[in-house]
Amino acid sequence: MRRSPAEVQAARETKLDEMAEKLETAVAGLTTGEDWKRAIEFAARFRSRSFRNTLLIYAQHADAYEQGRVSTPVPTYVAGFNQWKQLDRSVDKGQSGYMIYAPVMGRFASKDPSDPMSWRRLQAREKPAAGEVVRSKIVNVKPAYVWDVTQTSGSEIPERPMPRLLEGEAPAGLWAGLAAQVATEGFELQDAADASSIWGANGVTIYDTKVVAVRADMDDAARVKTLAHELGHVRMHDPVEAVTHHRGIREVEAESVAMMIGAAYGMDTSDYTIPYVATWAQSVADKEPVDVVRETGERVRRVALDILDKLPDAGIGDGYPPGLDRSGPGAERKTSQARTVELGGAAPVRSTTSIDVSVPAL
């Protein structure tokens, strides 16, 4: 029996409420530095997904593992139902997908794009009037489903070669790539002889004189990780433009950026710790701790991804299975000003808009 539009909408709202509850539980679970560290490192391997979708996938897979429905405690490759079919794999009978947020797109038209009030939403199949410019943006979200590779069967998936780093060794080209971005931000990178020369720290960012200093007496891996930390400060914590001036949150954010970059390059950052995130979150005025944790994670992800986009390919992947064709019709259109939009059951698509429209993180 076909459901009415009202029934479809009610079912969607119920699922969105369920997802919101799952997300709140997952965020609230990030109560220690070790919990936060695992979440950030996982996000580095699934960086095609938003921070909240990453947490949803992580939490639902953990539940499936505890129930014995999957064979590994952590997801490896995740894709939609039809995407797995592209790779000649099918979802196993009885395997429930992981609910994530997917965008609902709307088309808007205007004869005067510079006037924000001139845009009108086009109806389905409606064509724009002569002289109107058409742009797309997210107008809502809906539930979508993805499955981990352990929930599927079929053809073998090609394995990505994983980088092998010796203890204390840094990935080739990473220092130079990070240093170039520090310079692009207008900061001078300097070597510090030892910790005593920079107030006992491994690295320091000085905004007044626009200097980033990193200890020269550490091994290469520690130096590159420290440089990534300081670049996180440069990108996020200018005293004039900082999102938050709370020192604890700033240190969590910078260290998280460094960890996400390190994880994307296969670096082991286990000997570094992050401050107790929930403690700092409790001290931010006029905000619920769960909101602080969620917003911090999304800021970290956004900045780390922007840094990674300007670095040599790490080869770790982004959570999609290798060999998946994500360039078919309606999947990705190449345009210099396109914006990636995440879809759950299908490949990411790009909006061909030429302005910076407001797109909520998915």
Side-chain angles (χ1 to χ4, degrees):
M1 182 176 178
R2 188 171 183 178
R3 294 184 297 177
S4 68
E7 289 173 327
V8 171
Q9 180 63 27
R12 175 183 291 182
E13 293 296 332
T14 299
K15 288 181 179 179
L16 287 173
D17 288 343
E18 180 184 343
M19 290 168 67
E21 186 176 342
K22 287 180 185 291
L23 181 60
E24 295 302 297
T25 301
V27 172
L30 303 178
T31 55
T32 70
E34 188 60 31
D35 293 333
W36 179 261
K37 173 180 171 294
R38 281 196 296 266
I40 291 297
E41 290 180 341
F42 180 73
R45 298 197 301 275
F46 278 73
R47 57 186 181 275
S48 61
R49 310 284 179 182
S50 67
F51 187 67
R52 67 178 182 176
N53 273 346
T54 297
L55 291 182
L56 283 170
I57 291 169
Y58 187 87
Q60 291 173 91
H61 187 89
D63 288 343
Y65 180 71
E66 289 181 4
Q67 297 165 16
R69 293 193 291 112
V70 294
S71 57
T72 61
V74 179
T76 50
Y77 301 126
V78 168
F81 188 89
N82 291 327
Q83 288 177 320
W84 284 121
K85 290 176 68 175
Q86 283 185 39
L87 297 173
D88 294 323
R89 294 185 70 88
S90 57
V91 174
D92 295 335
K93 186 176 181 180
Q95 285 287 358
S96 300
Y98 305 149
M99 276 198 300
I100 62 172
Y101 292 97
V104 176
M105 304 299 295
R107 294 185 307 138
F108 293 79
S110 170
K111 287 190 175 182
D112 183 10
S114 62
D115 180 6
M117 302 302 295
S118 68
W119 292 91
R120 64 184 184 89
R121 185 172 180 180
L122 298 174
Q123 300 301 312
R125 299 187 181 84
E126 180 184 357
K127 294 182 178 180
E132 285 190 323
V133 174
V134 178
R135 292 169 182 165
S136 299
K137 73 173 185 176
I138 296 174
V139 295
N140 207 339
V141 293
K142 64 182 179 181
Y145 294 87
V146 293
W147 286 261
D148 184 64
V149 64
T150 56
Q151 299 175 287
T152 68
S153 301
S155 299
E156 291 296 318
I157 294 180
E159 290 294 326
R160 293 183 185 275
M162 298 296 289
R164 297 177 180 271
L165 299 175
L166 300 175
E167 185 174 354
E169 183 183 20
L174 185 52
W175 174 273
L178 294 171
Q181 292 191 45
V182 169
T184 298
E185 295 293 330
F187 282 70
E188 179 186 355
L189 178 58
Q190 299 178 355
D191 283 338
D194 51 36
S196 63
S197 64
I198 47 175
W199 306 285
N202 288 337
V204 64
T205 297
I206 307 172
Y207 297 96
D208 292 344
T209 56
K210 287 191 170 294
V211 167
V212 169
V214 176
R215 282 176 53 186
D217 61 340
M218 300 188 294
D219 61 39
D220 289 345
R223 275 172 55 80
V224 80
K225 178 261 174 191
T226 300
L227 181 56
H229 177 109
E230 299 308 326
L231 180 55
H233 279 310
V234 168
R235 290 292 308 277
M236 302 177 79
H237 303 138
D238 186 310
V240 177
E241 302 175 357
V243 175
T244 172
H245 296 283
H246 194 290
R247 181 180 178 185
I249 294 294
R250 293 200 301 270
E251 290 305 316
V252 168
E253 289 178 335
E255 186 67 10
S256 298
V257 166
M259 285 179 54
M260 191 166 181
I261 292 170
Y265 276 83
M267 293 179 65
D268 180 8
T269 57
S270 60
D271 56 337
Y272 296 98
T273 58
I274 286 186
Y276 187 35
V277 179
T279 300
W280 296 119
Q282 291 278 358
S283 63
V284 177
D286 302 323
K287 280 198 174 183
E288 292 295 322
V290 70
D291 293 328
V292 175
V293 172
R294 182 168 52 231
E295 291 168 9
T296 296
E298 193 54 55
R299 282 199 302 273
V300 166
R301 174 187 172 275
R302 184 172 61 250
V303 172
L305 290 189
D306 190 57
I307 292 172
L308 285 166
D309 282 346
K310 299 178 177 68
L311 294 172
D313 181 19
I316 299 297
D318 58 4
Y320 279 102
L324 183 66
D325 180 11
R326 291 151 62 189
S327 60
E332 290 191 34
R333 302 183 187 92
K334 293 183 178 179
T335 172
S336 61
Q337 297 191 25
R339 169 168 295 199
T340 300
V341 179
E342 180 180 290
L343 291 175
V349 298
R350 290 181 182 267
S351 163
T352 55
T353 62
S354 57
I355 62 170
D356 186 14
V357 295
S358 176
V359 179
L362 295 175

